[in-house]
Amino acid sequence: DLECSIGQFNHGQRTITVDQEYVQSPFLRENRKPKSFLKDRAVLDGLDRANTSSRMACHVLAPVAKFFDVDVSGHMTVHRDRAENRSTKTVEIMDTFQPPKRAVVHFDGKLMTDLSGDFGDRLAIVLSGEGQTKLLSAEMIKNGTGLAQAQQVVKVLIDWKVLNNVFAMCCDTTGSNTGWINGSPSLFGF
């Protein structure tokens, strides 16, 4: 059983300093064995902000985990924990978003390569109005046709619960947007 006290003690060839912050650490359980800090939201957010890959995060965190006698199963565990954290954070952001009563939806497609190397259309969707602007989505779509863009915009507006707040739309003048039959604005019914 590990007993924590404030001060310094020798552990093999190392001198370890234990301060008040360590003793009150949220990573310590009742039995004084540390729980996995990989579930801690601040750690996961920090890895995302630093643009650290899951594999690199595992290399960085493994020595720290070993010091605290915590098992890091591998980079896939880190990857799953980060994906779960992002999903939770996305739901929280969507639930707390206060949309403007009258909004304009802006969208534009761009051909680009994603992180996995796949080439495709990425559709950025932004909502603006009453002094606020919110990026709603920047997902890859199956193709850049007016129908695919219209379907994705409507899906995102429904997901964010802002479809009834949109009174106008803004887009560039590419063929997928300006066609009178298959252009995305005509498919919206505007």
Side-chain angles (χ1 to χ4, degrees):
D1 196 28
L2 178 66
E3 191 173 309
C4 283
S5 60
I6 299 171
Q8 289 188 345
F9 64 95
N10 291 326
H11 179 70
Q13 296 176 344
R14 291 188 244 171
T15 300
I16 300 172
T17 302
V18 178
D19 58 8
Q20 185 68 31
E21 185 176 324
Y22 177 80
V23 173
Q24 296 174 347
S25 170
F27 302 124
L28 297 176
R29 289 188 181 150
E30 294 287 320
N31 62 2
R32 298 295 191 193
K33 285 202 177 221
K35 70 178 184 177
S36 177
F37 52 86
L38 295 177
K39 296 282 187 189
D40 186 68
R41 191 167 183 172
V43 172
L44 296 171
D45 288 346
L47 293 173
D48 284 344
R49 272 192 306 278
N51 201 20
T52 308
S53 70
S54 295
R55 190 176 299 269
M56 186 57 69
C58 191
H59 289 300
V60 170
L61 295 175
V64 177
K66 186 177 180 184
F67 179 79
F68 284 113
D69 196 28
V70 175
D71 181 39
V72 177
S73 301
H75 72 277
M76 289 309 296
T77 303
V78 175
H79 183 77
R80 279 190 299 273
D81 289 345
R82 292 173 80 179
E84 182 181 314
N85 183 53
R86 288 182 197 125
S87 296
T88 303
K89 199 171 191 175
T90 300
V91 170
E92 288 174 8
I93 290 170
M94 289 174 79
D95 287 345
T96 59
F97 177 60
Q98 297 294 319
K101 292 187 184 359
R102 296 178 51 88
V104 178
V105 64
H106 308 258
F107 63 94
D108 191 17
K110 174 86 172 148
L111 286 171
M112 57 191 326
T113 306
D114 66 3
L115 295 175
S116 65
D118 294 334
F119 189 74
D121 254 319
R122 186 168 292 275
L123 185 66
I125 304 169
V126 176
L127 190 75
S128 67
E130 298 176 1
Q132 62 177 327
T133 303
K134 182 74 168 174
L135 175 66
L136 302 181
S137 173
E139 295 179 26
M140 293 288 258
I141 57 174
K142 56 186 171 206
N143 56 49
T145 64
L147 178 62
Q149 288 183 357
Q151 288 172 337
Q152 182 66 16
V153 170
V154 169
K155 177 189 168 295
V156 168
L157 293 175
I158 290 171
D159 289 347
W160 280 83
K161 300 176 182 98
V162 294
L163 184 62
N164 294 330
N165 300 48
V166 175
F167 74 95
M169 57 181 285
C170 179
C171 58
D172 61 4
T173 56
T174 59
S176 61
N177 293 337
T178 58
W180 66 278
I181 295 175
N182 289 323
S184 50
S186 63
L187 296 171
F188 283 122
F190 286 117

